[in-house]
Amino acid sequence: VGVHKNRHSFRDAHSNGIVIRKTKTMGLGAFASQHISAGDQIGEYKGEIISLHQVQARYWKTRKCRKADRRWKKSRTQRQQTMSGDYLFDMGDDIYIDAEDMDVSGWCRFMNHASEIVDKEGDSNNSQCNVETVCSSLVRGKNISMRNKEDTPNQPDIMPKLWFLARRDIARGEQLLYDYGDSYWSSN
């Protein structure tokens, strides 16, 4: 996938004081282009809101694809979008944010993983992990990707939000990293 396909995400990142560039070992990454203070909101993880059933059919291949899943695959193929499942964020309650589609995702998909080290007192002390996630309550409202009940059986109209906050001061030029969590590694 060429960098040109990410122009929307790159512009969005730049307007938020972030630059997307190649890393030495992790492909593309998100870097602070200015100082970020501890507690500052950095950005929102944007993408298509999908159900566990859709994840199982589209990515994990553990459920049979429905008509809507086949349309989704055809659209992704025509638009030369990847279909790896690497950009799924599990929001709980069988709801996921899928940030793989570059036409609907934002720059936060470029933040890479750093393991969080916890000491024997239970305190996190890994200076590499400089970003934390904050999930909002599931908010009732219109959600275009979930209105078709064929696509999302038994799912209410909800819109989860996932925000990233600076855990500590982040220097200009520092890569933004967070712990993807155990569920990411167990499903990949």
Side-chain angles (χ1 to χ4, degrees):
V1 176
V3 172
H4 68 283
K5 290 211 173 250
N6 294 304
R7 276 192 223 145
H8 166 74
S9 295
F10 285 18
R11 281 192 308 269
D12 186 34
H14 182 72
S15 68
N16 284 285
I18 307 298
V19 63
I20 308 301
R21 68 175 191 245
K22 288 185 179 182
T23 67
K24 291 179 183 176
T25 60
M26 297 186 263
L28 294 175
F31 294 81
S33 62
Q34 61 193 23
H35 173 83
I36 300 172
S37 298
D40 281 358
Q41 183 177 317
I42 297 172
E44 179 184 359
Y45 196 77
K46 296 177 184 176
E48 180 184 9
I49 308 302
I50 62 175
S51 68
L52 175 61
H53 175 17
Q54 290 168 306
V55 170
Q56 291 170 331
R58 296 173 181 185
Y59 293 117
W60 299 344
K61 311 295 188 236
T62 57
R63 293 191 79 141
K64 185 177 178 182
C65 284
R66 295 180 172 189
K67 187 176 183 180
D69 299 316
R70 290 188 293 276
R71 284 193 309 265
W72 171 89
K73 184 176 182 180
K74 182 178 179 182
S75 170
R76 287 269 177 107
T77 301
Q78 289 173 337
R79 294 179 297 118
Q80 299 177 343
Q81 300 285 331
T82 59
M83 294 178 271
S84 69
D86 289 342
Y87 298 94
L88 291 172
F89 202 103
D90 184 351
M91 297 295 289
D93 294 324
D94 296 340
I95 302 295
Y96 291 78
I97 300 176
D98 180 3
E100 189 155 0
D101 187 332
M102 291 178 283
D103 292 340
V104 297
S105 65
W107 68 266
C108 289
R109 73 190 290 258
F110 295 107
M111 284 196 287
N112 287 311
H113 169 75
S115 294
E116 184 169 357
I117 300 170
V118 178
D119 64 21
K120 36 188 172 178
E121 284 81 36
D123 294 326
S124 171
N125 60 7
N126 182 356
S127 61
Q128 283 189 326
C129 201
N130 56 15
V131 177
E132 67 181 317
T133 58
V134 177
C135 302
S136 72
S137 301
L138 298 179
V139 179
R140 296 200 178 278
K142 292 288 180 183
N143 180 349
I144 295 168
S145 66
M146 297 186 77
R147 280 191 293 181
N148 183 343
K149 296 303 179 187
E150 176 191 314
D151 293 350
T152 55
N154 305 318
Q155 291 292 339
D157 287 330
I158 55 175
M159 181 61 80
K161 297 283 186 177
L162 176 66
W163 298 96
F164 293 96
L165 301 177
R167 297 173 69 145
R168 58 172 175 77
D169 285 351
I170 300 171
R172 181 177 184 223
E174 191 174 348
Q175 185 175 183
L176 304 178
L177 302 166
Y178 72 101
D179 190 335
Y180 288 179
D182 294 337
S183 65
Y184 177 84
W185 303 108
S186 63
S187 64
N188 283 314

